[in-house]
Amino acid sequence: MRLLVSNIKTLAGIVGEGVSRLQGAEMKRLSMIDDAWLLVENGKISAFGSMADMPSGGFSVDGEINAQGGTVLPSWCDPHTHIVYAGSREGEFVDKIMGLSYAEIARRGGGILNSADLLHTLSEDELYRQAFCRAQEIMRKGTGCVEIKSGYGLNTTDEIKMLRVIQRLKESLPMRVVSTFLGAHAVGRQYGHDEYVDVIINEMLPEVGRERLADYVDVFCDEGFFTPEDTDRILEAAARWGLKPKIHVDELAATGGLPVAVKHGALSVDHLENMPESEFAILKDSATMPTVLPGTSFFLNMPYAPARKMIDAGLGVAVASDYNPGSTPSGDMKFVVSLACIKMRLLPQEAINAATLNAAYAMGLSGDYGSITPGKAANFFITEPIPSVNYIPYAYTSPIIDKVFINGAELH
């Protein structure tokens, strides 16, 4: 099956083969071709170029899409979400307006524990139905691959239920899904702290490993949740089941989780709202991608992660939505890109690279997703005619997407 997309005003996000991530000054490079075409073959990007250089005889294709002067970008990649959850938590939204902090709500038994209580009452089928609707929503908004975490089960049975739902989403959605086991999201109500860490290590991880239900493992290593020592123990146990870490760190406070994550070869360290500059050096020569979640800072009125300083120090940065019911009830990656520009002072090209190639890297997927590169999955979207790529984060609430393609097929 061959598809030609013609009359593209700007084809953006072109990356050479073999480039897995961008760091420091490289993030300012957003390669583009104006007045372009794009050829898709069997769900993969095959070739592209300028309309002026198109072969005189054209191409033998099975279909053609006229972009009508729209811009084409690679699909957003969202490397940190919690979209498998039960119901909503708008009551806590009001608590936050009244002045309670995220940590205070958690100490009162709310937050993650509330989501765990709701999830316990839901069937697997209903949980899947709700998550499937959210997944369709983010695909329509341009996301083409996504990471989904467990973490609202907080006991072995319900964590496995969540991971089975994620497995069903992998099998039923056209976009690429990776799964992360986050049993260490909070301490389940029926356990003491140390007892629960033992349950994660001795019950949950073996069950997850035997059923091969997760690609990665995560720990909420932060003040009031899990310590660096807990994290070290859990990651050592997870490694025996072949699970690589993607770790929550430095969201509420800098508690020393980042060095532990890097020591264990974490693919990403996520949140970083309270990351000290002294930790930049730990990441400098590592393969770990710092992943920032500006939607969380926006919704919770928290500090924003120091993404600008990280890039200026030579680090790469990825952005993610953190789509979840408590701290970021939105999976709109276009808005995340806008926040990265407006609140974190990233240039538009840096923010777009952070939401595409670097975000794919933070899921271990940049060999197949995140850029316009021959051989990669044909996941891209066509915008309405817009003045420039800079208009995407500038027009922060304007719907700009005309058509979405996943694996070379238009999403309807």
Side-chain angles (χ1 to χ4, degrees):
M1 178 71 179
R2 302 182 92 206
L3 172 72
L4 176 67
V5 183
S6 59
N7 295 315
I8 302 169
K9 178 182 178 181
T10 303
L11 178 65
I14 300 166
V15 173
E17 295 182 46
V19 178
S20 62
R21 61 173 171 169
L22 300 172
Q23 299 186 88
E26 296 172 340
M27 291 192 65
K28 293 179 181 176
R29 302 175 195 158
L30 186 68
S31 295
M32 311 178 197
I33 298 174
D34 291 331
D35 192 24
W37 55 268
L38 174 70
L39 184 65
V40 173
E41 189 165 3
N42 297 324
K44 304 284 188 182
I45 295 168
S46 177
F48 50 83
S50 68
M51 293 295 292
D53 296 331
M54 182 182 285
S56 57
F59 297 99
S60 174
V61 296
D62 301 292
E64 181 173 350
I65 297 289
N66 187 333
Q68 298 181 330
T71 292
V72 170
L73 274 84
S75 294
W76 307 125
C77 301
D78 192 346
H80 185 127
T81 81
H82 306 255
I83 67 171
V84 175
Y85 63 83
S88 57
R89 292 188 353 222
E90 67 274 11
E92 293 175 12
F93 174 66
V94 177
D95 289 339
K96 295 182 186 86
I97 293 171
M98 297 292 288
L100 288 179
S101 71
Y102 181 84
E104 286 169 334
I105 291 169
R107 283 195 295 271
R108 288 171 48 174
I112 295 165
L113 295 178
N114 271 345
S115 285
D117 292 342
L118 286 169
L119 185 137
H120 181 70
T121 68
L122 251 61
S123 70
E124 182 179 311
D125 286 344
E126 175 58 19
L127 197 58
Y128 169 79
R129 186 195 67 78
Q130 291 188 19
F132 186 82
C133 291
R134 295 179 197 116
Q136 288 182 311
E137 171 202 345
I138 64 174
M139 286 191 296
R140 288 192 296 269
K141 291 184 175 181
T143 294
C145 60
V146 65
E147 183 251 24
I148 308 174
K149 303 178 188 292
S150 70
Y152 293 127
L154 306 186
N155 62 60
T156 302
T157 299
D158 289 339
E159 284 294 313
I160 295 299
K161 177 168 70 173
M162 289 190 72
L163 289 168
R164 286 177 177 154
V165 169
I166 299 171
Q167 185 64 37
R168 288 175 64 179
L169 294 172
K170 285 186 180 188
E171 294 166 357
S172 59
L173 292 169
M175 71 173 167
R176 179 68 182 272
V177 175
V178 298
S179 59
T180 297
F181 167 60
L182 179 55
H185 200 192
V187 175
R189 290 192 192 277
Q190 67 267 47
Y191 303 102
H193 183 99
D194 292 345
E195 178 189 12
Y196 186 64
V197 173
D198 287 341
V199 167
I200 292 169
I201 291 170
N202 298 321
E203 291 184 21
M204 294 186 186
L205 276 169
E207 188 70 19
V208 172
R210 280 192 294 267
E211 294 197 36
R212 298 183 179 180
L213 288 172
D215 302 300
Y216 300 106
V217 64
D218 195 350
V219 178
F220 190 1
C221 182
D222 217 318
E223 186 175 75
F225 290 88
F226 295 90
T227 67
E229 293 75 23
D230 297 331
T231 304
D232 194 44
R233 286 186 62 207
I234 292 167
L235 297 189
E236 283 184 2
R240 293 195 286 272
W241 295 99
L243 297 176
K244 193 168 184 176
K246 283 170 57 65
I247 303 299
H248 284 62
V249 293
D250 293 350
E251 178 182 1
L252 306 176
T255 59
L258 189 143
V260 175
V262 173
K263 181 186 83 169
H264 285 275
L267 184 58
S268 69
V269 284
D270 301 11
H271 274 291
L272 310 173
E273 288 87 351
N274 285 284
M275 179 187 189
E277 290 186 43
S278 60
E279 291 186 338
F280 291 4
I282 299 170
L283 291 169
K284 185 71 174 178
D285 296 316
S286 78
T288 302
M289 176 64 71
T291 300
V292 298
L293 285 65
T296 307
S297 299
F298 171 80
F299 192 75
L300 296 181
N301 285 315
M302 290 172 57
Y304 286 81
R308 175 75 270 151
K309 290 182 178 179
M310 283 189 259
I311 293 171
D312 290 345
L315 297 176
V317 169
V319 295
S321 75
D322 196 21
Y323 193 174
N324 75 77
S327 62
T328 330
S330 170
D332 189 333
M333 285 294 286
K334 176 180 176 294
F335 183 56
V336 169
V337 168
S338 293
L339 286 175
C341 295
I342 297 164
K343 294 296 188 179
M344 295 177 163
R345 314 312 296 171
L346 270 61
L347 296 171
Q349 57 266 41
E350 291 172 326
I352 290 169
N353 282 326
T356 52
L357 184 68
N358 280 7
Y361 178 93
M363 291 182 275
L365 297 178
S366 60
D368 294 307
Y369 299 91
S371 66
I372 303 298
T373 304
K376 287 194 177 184
N379 287 13
F380 58 91
F381 57 85
I382 305 173
T383 73
E384 302 282 354
I386 58 175
S388 71
V389 168
N390 294 346
Y391 184 83
I392 296 171
Y394 161 79
Y396 65 96
T397 63
S398 297
I400 58 158
I401 293 179
D402 180 37
K403 293 180 174 63
V404 171
F405 291 81
I406 298 181
N407 300 317
E410 186 175 357
L411 185 68
H412 295 287

